[in-house]
Amino acid sequence: MNKIWKSILSLLLFLLAFTQIDLINAKENENIPREIEMLFSGLDDNESVIELPNGGYIYGNGEVKIFDYLDYIEGKLVPIETYDLNKDINKITVEDAKQQLYIAKDIPMTRGSSVPTQVMQLSAGQIYISKAFSGSGWRFSGYQFVADPNTGYYLKWTTYIDDGRVGSASYANDTLRGQTHGIEIYKGQPKYISYGPNGQIYYTYNPINGTYYRVENN
């Protein structure tokens, strides 16, 4: 009989230990602001993303290719960077990415004041998630974004904390010169946008500190 009770007690202690771990993790997750949680909506905390050297995260299967419109080789674009979530040794978990954004949420992070020339191509299911925006005047994403031609031209955009716009390079340059163009997107309201084969750029004016955006080929 004593053996039975000892077994039951051991089992109860085991379950209690795991319950305490779950409560600790839940407490940590309570600190993550809703906007950061929404940035990663649909992604499990244990899934992986790649943190890019100049900011932002990419998610999805297959290669993510980055081109530069200023770098033509024999009349065509050649990738200057390629990332593969299945092979990249620098990938981190979604949970780690959330914690990074939470720690840095009150630190001003001035983003691009000029229109980007580098282009990120997203295949089906791939997602780019920005880090926080701040700064005065017009501020631009670090990349233009295009969908893999095999999936059509539409990309799904969402902005958080503050509103923004999405435009082609031409529209972004016009906006920088004082003629505001581009499609408005409102915080927390996803919108599908297409400029045909042209790159799509996110930009926002005097962004509220901690503004983020997400673009996906879904």
Side-chain angles (χ1 to χ4, degrees), residues 4 88 139:
I4 294 174
D88 199 292
R139 293 289 159 174

Side-chain angles (χ1 to χ4, degrees), residues 4-184:
I4 294 174
W5 281 109
K6 286 181 180 179
S7 298
I8 292 173
L9 181 61
S10 297
L11 178 60
L12 289 173
L13 290 173
F14 179 79
L15 293 173
L16 179 61
F18 269 84
T19 301
Q20 289 175 330
I21 291 171
D22 287 341
L23 289 172
I24 291 170
N25 290 337
K27 186 66 176 177
E28 289 177 351
N29 290 336
E30 283 178 4
N31 293 326
I32 304 298
R34 179 176 179 274
E35 289 79 9
I36 292 178
E37 290 287 358
M38 291 299 294
L39 264 176
F40 295 90
S41 63
L43 307 184
D44 187 85
D45 278 352
N46 294 320
E47 292 189 274
S48 297
V49 294
I50 298 173
E51 182 182 11
L52 298 179
N54 60 344
Y57 307 92
I58 51 177
Y59 166 85
N61 294 318
E63 293 183 340
V64 174
K65 297 177 182 178
I66 298 175
F67 307 86
D68 196 317
Y69 277 142
L70 300 181
D71 187 17
Y72 278 86
I73 298 178
E74 296 181 355
K76 63 180 180 181
L77 286 171
V78 175
I80 59 172
E81 296 174 40
T82 301
Y83 297 92
D84 189 332
L85 195 66
N86 297 322
K87 301 176 182 177
D88 199 292
I89 60 173
N90 296 316
K91 62 186 179 182
I92 61 175
T93 66
V94 167
E95 184 177 12
D96 287 340
K98 289 178 183 178
Q99 291 293 337
Q100 286 182 358
L101 293 182
Y102 173 67
I103 291 169
K105 67 182 178 62
D106 296 321
I107 302 173
M109 298 291 288
T110 303
R111 297 301 176 188
S113 58
S114 59
V115 177
T117 62
Q118 291 190 357
V119 185
M120 180 180 292
Q121 179 177 288
L122 298 175
S123 297
Q126 292 177 342
I127 301 171
Y128 175 86
I129 294 170
S130 80
K131 289 193 174 180
F133 266 70
S134 64
S136 59
W138 285 105
R139 293 289 159 174
F140 299 86
S141 54
Y143 300 98
Q144 300 181 34
F145 296 87
V146 296
D148 185 310
N150 295 319
T151 63
Y153 297 126
Y154 279 90
L155 292 172
K156 180 181 177 183
W157 291 86
T158 315
T159 185
Y160 300 91
I161 306 295
D162 205 352
D163 300 332
R165 287 179 179 269
V166 175
S168 63
S170 175
Y171 283 164
N173 277 302
D174 286 345
T175 298
L176 192 58
R177 290 191 289 263
Q179 298 179 332
T180 304
H181 292 299
I183 297 173
E184 290 183 272

